[in-house]
């Protein structure tokens, strides 16, 4: 299990590592920030497109093989990033790195599927979230350290080495054991009805993923631009750290709550916290308030996301659960990217209240939808 946490932490660290290095990259290659920033978008694009592929491979060949293969791709891309000669190669290699690390989501989800009861699965996902939040906090420290040493290249070399070591520690996973009762029922006398239920479940997974991405990933991503456009450029890094601290602290509490709370109470807690964070940012502008909003949104992510990770793939039969996890994440990533692209111009126009108030309303709608779906989870 520790190797799985390392894989998740490294994927998250690789994503957060690039942003603090953008200025150094632009200076080294004598280009503008916008050109090298395209590498961040390319990373998300590669990740979103590769997720369904890794989900299918994990279901077909097992999570161990899928995870090792993807991490090898990511390690090779990180080596290339450390040696990268220019922005064109940078964008291509960042796309490959995102595609490689995308294997973590479906592979780890399938590993944790063997944990019972559900509370044990959720505690495992909460621990994973704690580790990834810690890696998000550590990544800027690594970036600052290598820049003080005079070069950005060692940062990606460190990621490459640690990823290669993680590959060596991962053992091949076996296929899931006995067919659960809910899957056995889908192989009865009504295959057509089972197929209809499966199609409906895929629609629910994709829809909830897109809704969560637009709200739970999109709103935190807008906090830094909101500060920058409001004249708080010096605090943009701090608000990202505040969000990571919110995720980290709340997941430690969540591990206790998951032992005694049902999924509906966990979802309601996360959703109400998210609504409070979004409305607070809309109604009371200011740097300190946005910091508090970041912590609240981080808490909402912990409770909502880990609960959906724990239960949502169970809408599908066992042979399709890695695909369910990957499609959920892919739709979330693509929806969050679209949300940020569509709303950044509104922030530049000073319409902060509109953006975050709308986010609060959408968060409330997402919470109601998740509670409706969770009725069948018991």
């Amino acid at each position: 299990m520790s190797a799985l946490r390392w894989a998740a932490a490294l994927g998250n660290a690789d994503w957060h590592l690039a942003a603090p290095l953008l200025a150094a990259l632009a200076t080294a290659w004598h280009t503008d920030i916008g050109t090298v920033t395209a590498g961040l978008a390319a990373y998300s694009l590669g990740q979103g497109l590769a997720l369904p592929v890794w989900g299918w491979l994990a279901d077909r060949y097992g999570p161990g093989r899928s995870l090792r293969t993807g991490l090898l791709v990511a390690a090779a891309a990180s080596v290339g990033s450390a040696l990268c000669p220019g922005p064109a190669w940078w964008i291509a290699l960042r796309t490959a790195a995102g595609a490689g690390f995308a294997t973590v989501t479906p592979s780890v989800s399938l590993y944790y599927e063997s944990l019972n009861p559900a509370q044990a699965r959720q505690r495992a996902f909460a621990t994973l979230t704690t580790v990834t939040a810690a890696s998000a906090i550590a990544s800027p420290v690594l970036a600052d350290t290598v820049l003080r040493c005079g070069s950005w290249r060692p940062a990606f070399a460190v990621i490459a080495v640690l990823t290669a070591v993680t590959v060596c520690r991962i053992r091949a996973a076996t296929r899931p054991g006995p067919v659960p009762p809910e899957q056995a029922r889908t192989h009865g006398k009504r295959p057509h009805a089972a197929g209809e239920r499966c199609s409906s479940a895929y629609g629910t997974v994709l829809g909830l993923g897109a809704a969560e991405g637009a709200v739970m990933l999109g709103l935190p991503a807008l906090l830094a631009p909101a500060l920058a456009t409001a004249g708080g450029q010096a605090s943009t890094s701090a608000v990202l750290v505040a969000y990571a601290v919110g995720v980290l602290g709340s997941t430690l509490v969540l591990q206790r709550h998951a032992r005694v709370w049902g999924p509906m109470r966990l979802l309601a807690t996360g959703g109400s916290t998210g609504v409070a964070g979004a409305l607070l940012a809309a109604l009371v502008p200011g740097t300190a308030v946005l910091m508090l909003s970041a912590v609240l949104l981080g808490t909402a992510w912990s409770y909502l996301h880990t609960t959906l990770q724990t239960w949502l793939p169970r809408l599908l039969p066992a042979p399709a659960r890695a695909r369910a996890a990957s499609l959920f994440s892919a739709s979330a990533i693509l929806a969050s990217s679209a949300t940020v692209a569509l709303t950044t111009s509104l922030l530049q126009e000073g319409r902060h209240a509109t953006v975050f108030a709308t986010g609060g309303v959408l968060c409330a709608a997402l919470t109601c939808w998740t509670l409706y779906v969770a009725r069948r989870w018991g």
Side-chain angles (χ1 to χ4, degrees):
M1 291 297 183
S2 63
L4 302 183
R5 292 192 287 267
W6 266 106
L10 288 169
N12 202 48
D14 186 63
W15 161 247
H16 285 89
L17 187 63
L21 300 175
L22 291 178
L25 290 167
T27 301
W29 292 328
H30 306 291
T31 187
D32 58 278
I33 292 288
T35 300
V36 293
T37 302
L40 301 182
Y43 189 101
S44 295
L45 179 63
Q47 193 173 43
L49 294 178
L51 270 164
V53 178
W54 291 120
W56 179 83
L57 290 172
D59 282 328
R60 178 68 179 82
Y61 298 105
R65 185 179 300 180
S66 172
L67 187 56
R68 290 197 306 273
T69 303
L71 291 181
L72 285 173
V73 172
S78 295
V79 171
S81 298
L83 302 174
C84 189
W89 279 100
W90 164 254
I91 294 171
L93 288 164
R94 287 289 84 198
T95 305
F101 278 119
T103 189
V104 172
T105 296
S107 299
V108 170
S109 179
L110 203 52
Y111 267 115
Y112 286 170
E113 269 297 312
S114 62
L115 298 177
N116 282 300
Q119 288 81 359
R121 291 200 308 276
Q122 182 144 19
R123 289 196 301 272
F125 280 120
T127 301
L128 196 72
T129 302
T130 302
V131 171
T132 55
S135 71
I137 297 173
S139 293
V141 177
L142 174 59
D144 183 64
T145 301
V146 298
L147 289 176
R148 289 178 183 276
C149 294
S151 175
W152 53 268
R153 298 183 186 275
F156 294 102
V158 169
I159 297 293
V161 171
L162 292 177
T163 303
V165 171
T166 302
V167 171
C168 297
R169 297 181 58 197
I170 294 172
R171 299 176 180 177
T174 57
R175 294 293 296 171
V179 177
E182 66 269 20
Q183 181 189 355
R185 287 195 294 269
T186 66
H187 294 288
K189 298 180 180 180
R190 299 178 62 194
H192 179 68
E196 289 179 347
R197 288 195 296 272
C198 195
S199 298
S200 175
Y202 273 123
T204 300
V205 167
L206 286 169
L208 280 175
E212 188 195 55
V215 178
M216 292 287 97
L217 291 176
L219 287 178
L222 292 172
L223 290 172
L227 275 173
T229 56
Q233 290 89 343
S235 303
T236 53
S237 295
V239 78
L240 299 177
V241 174
Y243 175 77
V245 169
V247 174
L248 183 61
S250 60
T251 48
L252 295 175
V253 179
L254 172 63
Q255 291 183 58
R256 294 196 296 271
H257 286 168
R259 297 177 187 273
V260 293
W261 289 6
M264 295 188 71
R265 186 174 181 183
L266 294 168
L267 290 169
T269 300
S272 59
T273 306
V275 171
L279 294 182
L280 192 62
L283 300 176
V284 189
T287 300
V289 170
L290 286 178
M291 294 291 181
L292 178 58
S293 296
V295 174
L296 291 173
L297 289 171
T299 302
W301 169 260
S302 298
Y303 277 79
L304 264 174
H305 185 65
T306 59
T307 305
L308 292 176
Q309 277 183 314
T310 300
W311 292 96
L312 199 59
R314 293 271 167 141
L315 296 179
L316 279 295
R321 285 176 182 165
R323 272 168 284 179
S326 64
L327 290 172
F328 176 71
S329 295
S331 61
I333 290 170
L334 296 176
S336 67
S337 299
T339 299
V340 173
L342 292 172
T343 54
T344 301
S345 60
L346 295 177
L347 293 177
Q348 292 174 341
E349 295 170 5
R351 299 170 67 180
H352 294 194
T354 300
V355 170
F356 287 103
T358 303
V361 172
L362 292 177
C363 187
L366 169 64
T367 305
C368 292
W369 189 8
T370 59
L371 291 173
Y372 173 78
V373 174
R375 293 186 307 169
R376 72 189 74 176
W377 296 343

